[in-house]
Amino acid sequence: MKFKVPRGTQDILPSESWKWQKVEQMIREACEVYRYQEIRTPMFEQTELFQRTVGDTTDIVTKEMYTFKDRGDRSMTLRPEGTAPVVRSFVEHKMFGWVDQPVKLYYIEPMFRYERQQAGRYRQFVQFGTEAIGSADPAIDAEVIALALDVYKKVGLKDIKLVLNSLGDKDSRTAHRDALVAHFTPRIDEFCSDCQNRLEKNPLRILDCKVDRDHPLMKTAPSLTDFLNDESRAYFEKLQDLLTKAGISYELDPNLVRGLDYYNHTAFEIMSTAEGFGAITTLCGGGRYNGLSEEIGGPSAPGIGFGMSIERLLLALEAEQVPLTNDDALDVYVVTLGDAAKQEGFQILQQLRSSGIRADMDFLDRKMKAQMKSADRLQAKWVTVIGEEEVEQQIVQLKNMAEGSQQSVSVEKLIEIIQAEVN
Ligand code: HAM
């Protein structure tokens, strides 16, 4: 029997994993600069958490969740997204009582969605997300957007654009909802069964239906922008002013509704404009979710955040041909000749490593030539050669590979020389 990686998932091999580490490191640095702190929540939660927040008419909840009964007959779901778990944790740990508000959190964690596999769409993907909870100031919306853009800038992406919309507050949305029902009702039989279901429950979801995307009524649907009340409009204008002042350009898209139910006011996406980037161009999506905390039994705690997958970020880097630099070259390769030298060599290897020097040696008893080849392949900056004579005299031959020079040195001296260059 042959086993394969499950459809929609991938093994990340050493030839790729270093890129993930690089990107994750840059993300962590950016979060530190913005004072966002890491939170880690469980990989699964009670199913109801997602039904109540993401929404039970959304694609995520109706079609994409990995839901299972645990042995205590409770319905659990592998998290399809990070916002609901983080807000659940915010409420559970009473973070609303923390001195510093808003609470600014980030996570880099796997998410699970049973989606059709295609480029940029996986069933397990790693999302970097942020959540700033406890403030309804448009400046925090601007900050969250700026952080997402800064991450893309830091990794070297250039061909990206920010798309912005406002979904308004509850009153604006109710007015818009009524208009949508009136718009779609006369021709609802021409839509898929999901949309027919959505008409009464949540007509806004019709607008992001993948099946009926090209139906003429989609293009003439009433736009949310026309239903924003004064308060929502003022909030949105303040955000746009803040972005403009910070030198952040954006496009307005009244059709940007996002695929999760908890959003209101600000909604945004960052898209790749790189040529040949494939069908899915959204790199990052986010928005404001005032009321989500109350929805799960917490106090009022308005929040905003975003999620971006590392997978799509790496695909965008590839599309723009931005190279990441791999600096994992070895400092020293220890070549040993014979048993006694191997014993001595291993001891030296460990001494080098405890001094923070990247070192490796041969573990297959290969001939000198093969060991030198390994050193080359691993791009070792130095090679130490230890034979019988060296063991006797308690020295090593140290070769500087770039210069081609060689000298005999004691082990102490060896560490001194290399450390001076490495640090
Ligand atoms: P979302 O739009 O569902 O929002 O996902 C955000 C991002 O996750 C997408 O833009 C994409 O980068 C990535 N993503 C989603 N599905 C997949 C997939 N199947 N394969 C690869 N990448 C994927 C959310 O999840 C919200 N929780 C974001 C948020 C945080 N809003 C406020 N706070």
Side-chain angles (χ1 to χ4, degrees):
M1 173 141 187
K2 269 194 188 159
F3 293 105
K4 277 188 164 176
V5 75
R7 186 189 288 268
T9 69
Q10 52 178 345
D11 295 322
I12 297 161
L13 305 182
S15 56
E16 287 294 310
S17 61
W18 66 271
K19 295 183 193 163
W20 286 72
Q21 289 178 13
K22 282 262 140 164
V23 167
E24 287 175 14
Q25 191 191 333
M26 287 190 256
I27 288 173
R28 289 179 195 282
E29 282 165 10
C31 286
E32 224 170 272
V33 168
Y34 278 76
R35 206 185 58 78
Y36 281 65
Q37 293 176 306
E38 190 183 14
I39 182 166
R40 299 184 187 199
T41 62
M43 230 173 262
F44 58 90
E45 297 270 355
Q46 282 165 261
T47 303
E48 208 187 332
L49 175 70
F50 300 110
Q51 289 168 335
R52 288 184 80 105
T53 56
V54 174
D56 48 19
T57 51
T58 57
D59 274 357
I60 294 181
V61 170
T62 54
K63 300 179 191 161
E64 297 170 0
M65 295 209 300
Y66 282 90
T67 297
F68 59 96
K69 281 270 171 78
D70 72 6
R71 288 176 189 267
D73 211 29
R74 287 169 289 251
S75 180
M76 294 290 166
T77 293
L78 295 185
R79 70 173 164 227
E81 64 99 46
T83 309
V86 169
V87 176
R88 194 261 314 131
S89 179
F90 176 90
V91 172
E92 187 171 341
H93 297 280
K94 300 190 172 53
M95 293 184 208
F96 42 84
W98 288 4
V99 181
D100 285 320
Q101 296 288 328
V103 173
K104 305 203 287 187
L105 303 166
Y106 83 91
Y107 46 89
I108 306 176
E109 292 186 316
M111 306 288 159
F112 306 85
R113 295 185 193 177
Y114 192 80
E115 295 200 82
R116 212 164 50 78
Q117 185 188 7
Q118 65 186 103
R121 186 168 275 158
Y122 301 90
R123 291 183 176 170
Q124 174 176 333
F125 57 96
V126 176
Q127 218 183 47
F128 157 48
T130 65
E131 313 295 346
I133 313 172
S135 163
D137 181 344
I140 198 87
D141 301 40
E143 172 179 283
V144 161
I145 292 172
L147 171 52
L149 288 168
D150 266 3
V151 164
Y152 290 131
K153 199 164 133 196
K154 217 170 149 80
V155 297
L157 288 180
K158 292 200 178 68
D159 302 338
I160 52 171
K161 69 171 180 191
L162 167 65
V163 184
L164 202 60
N165 190 22
S166 171
L167 305 176
D169 61 9
K170 222 173 174 181
D171 290 344
S172 315
R173 295 185 62 156
T174 311
H176 180 235
R177 189 203 135 94
D178 294 346
L180 284 175
V181 174
H183 178 76
F184 286 113
T185 303
R187 291 175 70 181
I188 195 64
D189 353 330
E190 294 165 28
F191 285 73
C192 71
S193 58
D194 280 340
C195 282
Q196 295 183 11
N197 234 331
R198 288 164 177 149
L199 182 70
E200 279 310 318
K201 282 195 184 153
N202 192 351
L204 193 66
R205 288 277 79 87
I206 297 178
L207 298 181
D208 54 28
C209 176
K210 287 164 196 150
V211 181
D212 294 314
R213 206 174 12 205
D214 299 324
H215 193 286
L217 280 195
M218 290 292 211
K219 288 185 190 70
T220 52
S223 162
L224 236 170
T225 320
D226 299 329
F227 292 83
L228 293 186
N229 57 18
D230 291 347
E231 225 180 311
S232 304
R233 208 174 285 278
Y235 191 94
F236 195 33
E237 275 162 16
K238 267 195 199 155
L239 169 61
Q240 292 180 56
D241 279 351
L242 284 157
L243 291 175
T244 308
K245 288 215 176 79
I248 295 172
S249 44
Y250 55 88
E251 273 175 26
L252 294 179
D253 179 358
N255 295 321
L256 180 77
V257 293
R258 310 271 304 122
L260 304 94
D261 279 354
Y262 48 62
Y263 290 119
N264 42 57
H265 289 288
T266 313
F268 67 94
E269 288 190 353
I270 299 172
M271 336 275 284
S272 169
T273 55
E275 227 169 274
F277 184 66
I280 304 171
T281 55
T282 304
L283 299 180
C284 170
R288 182 159 274 288
Y289 45 84
N290 302 351
L292 177 52
S293 166
E294 291 98 309
E295 191 62 49
I296 56 169
S300 162
I304 177 150
F306 65 75
M308 64 168 76
S309 65
I310 311 290
E311 286 83 354
R312 288 195 196 165
L313 185 155
L314 289 171
L315 284 172
L317 282 176
E318 230 169 78
E320 286 193 34
Q321 297 182 340
V322 178
L324 286 169
T325 41
N326 186 358
D327 51 9
D328 67 355
L330 206 60
D331 296 320
V332 187
Y333 193 89
V334 178
V335 171
T336 60
L337 307 165
D339 270 355
K342 183 68 161 275
Q343 300 278 329
E344 186 79 12
F346 184 73
Q347 196 187 328
I348 293 172
L349 178 71
Q350 289 306 96
Q351 272 175 278
L352 288 164
R353 288 170 169 171
S354 11
S355 310
I357 294 164
R358 289 187 264 194
D360 205 355
M361 76 186 291
D362 168 65
F363 294 99
L364 295 170
D365 282 335
R366 288 175 306 174
K367 299 223 160 63
M368 169 132 173
K369 203 169 158 197
Q371 293 188 41
M372 288 305 287
K373 262 195 186 159
S374 283
D376 250 1
R377 235 187 352 260
L378 298 169
Q379 296 171 289
K381 294 175 197 122
W382 288 273
V383 169
T384 66
V385 182
I386 308 167
E388 268 171 40
E389 226 168 88
E390 283 77 20
V391 175
E392 255 165 46
Q393 295 174 25
Q394 286 292 293
I395 54 162
V396 301
Q397 301 298 331
L398 176 62
K399 280 178 192 270
N400 182 320
M401 300 305 274
E403 291 168 8
S405 59
Q406 180 168 336
Q407 54 181 318
S408 314
V409 292
S410 67
V411 176
E412 293 81 60
K413 188 83 188 151
L414 163 78
I415 292 177
E416 219 173 88
I417 294 173
I418 295 168
Q419 240 175 354
E421 295 245 355
V422 168
N423 298 326

